[in-house]
Amino acid sequence: MMEPTHDEAHAGALGSRLNWLRAAVLGANDGIVSTAGLVVGVAGATTARSTLLTAGLAGLLAGSMSMAAGEYVSVSTQRDSEKAALAMERRELREQPEAELEELTELLEDRGLSREVAREAAVQLTARDALRAHARVELGIDPDALTNPWHAASASFLAFTVGALLPLLAIVLPPATLRLWVTVLSVLAALVVTGWASARLGAAAPGRAVLRNVVGGALAMGVTYAAGTLLGAAGV
C-alpha cells in the first residue's frame, strides 16, 4: 500500500491565503453595497439609462481606485514597520549576540519547551540563520514573505470592481420598469453569498453574518432611493 503524501499547506501559508480571500470577499461586498446605493439613489431621481450608467461607472472607478490607494498606503506602512523591526533585530544580533541567544531561549521556553531543549534549539536555530529565527519566533515575521503593497492594492481594485459590476449591469440592462427590482433582488442575493463566504472564511456561523449583510445593504439602498426620489420630485 502506498504511503499517503503530505500535501497540506503550512499554517502560515494557509492563514495568509485565508486573509487574502477574506479581503477579496469584503472588497467585493463593498463594491456591491456602495455602487448599489449610488445607482439606486440616482434611479430614484431619473430613469435615463445614460445617467445611470455614468453614475455607476463613476462610482465604480472612484471606489476601486480609493480602495486600491487605501490598501497600498496601509500595507506600505505595515511593510515599512516590518523592515524597521528586522533592521533593529539585525543590529541587536550583531551587537549583543549572547543576549539575543538568551532571549530566543526564553521565547522557546514560553512555548512549552524545557530549559535544556529550548537552549539547544536556540543554539541550532541561531547557527542556521539567527535573523530568520528571531524574526519568526520573536517578531512573527517571515523575512521571505513580507507584505506586498502592490499585491494588496491590485487585489482590492479587482475585488471592488467585480462587486460593483453587478449593480451597475443590473440597473442599466433590464427595461426601465424592471430595473429597480432586478437591481435590488440581485444585490440582496449577492449579499447573501458574500455574507456566507466571509462567515465561513472566519469560521463563524453564517446566519447572523448573512442577516447583517442583507439588512445593511437593503438599508443603504432604501435610504439612497428615498433621497433620490425626494430630490427628483423637488427638481434638483
Side-chain angles (χ1 to χ4, degrees):
M1 180 180 294
M2 295 181 60
E3 291 293 328
T5 56
H6 184 70
D7 295 329
E8 289 86 348
H10 292 294
L14 179 59
S16 178
R17 282 199 297 270
L18 287 176
N19 285 335
W20 279 106
L21 285 171
R22 190 176 298 111
V25 169
L26 294 176
N29 193 80
D30 287 343
I32 293 169
V33 174
S34 62
T35 307
L38 176 62
V39 296
V40 167
V42 175
T46 180
T47 58
R49 191 188 304 268
S50 60
T51 302
L52 294 171
L53 178 60
T54 300
L57 281 175
L60 184 154
L61 292 173
S64 59
M65 293 300 295
S66 175
M67 288 284 290
E71 197 69 16
Y72 179 83
V73 170
S74 174
V75 175
S76 293
T77 301
Q78 179 182 344
R79 185 182 178 90
D80 290 344
S81 298
E82 291 173 343
K83 286 184 174 181
L86 289 174
M88 179 180 294
E89 197 64 39
R90 189 179 291 110
R91 184 175 66 253
E92 291 175 347
L93 285 167
R94 184 175 60 251
E95 295 175 353
Q96 43 189 4
E98 286 302 320
E100 288 298 297
L101 179 61
E102 177 60 26
E103 182 181 35
L104 183 58
T105 300
E106 292 175 355
L107 288 169
L108 293 173
E109 278 189 276
D110 291 340
R111 296 191 174 191
L113 299 181
S114 67
R115 173 70 184 181
E116 293 74 15
V117 174
R119 184 70 177 186
E120 179 62 25
V123 169
Q124 292 189 24
L125 289 171
T126 299
R128 179 176 299 176
D129 193 325
L131 178 61
R132 181 171 284 101
H134 279 267
R136 290 178 173 174
V137 177
E138 180 181 347
L139 304 175
I141 298 174
D142 185 348
D144 300 323
L146 297 181
T147 52
N148 189 314
W150 288 108
H151 289 171
S154 59
S156 294
F157 179 89
L158 290 174
F160 188 96
T161 300
V162 169
L165 281 174
L166 173 68
L168 175 58
L169 296 176
I171 203 71
V172 299
L173 294 181
T177 55
L178 298 176
R179 285 175 190 162
L180 185 61
W181 288 110
V182 170
T183 302
V184 170
L185 292 176
S186 60
V187 165
L188 293 181
L191 292 177
V192 169
V193 174
T194 56
W196 178 87
S198 62
R200 296 300 297 172
L201 289 170
R208 186 172 298 178
V210 168
L211 181 61
R212 285 196 301 262
N213 224 27
V214 170
V215 170
L219 183 61
M221 289 187 288
V223 169
T224 55
Y225 181 75
T229 301
L230 291 173
L231 291 173
V236 177

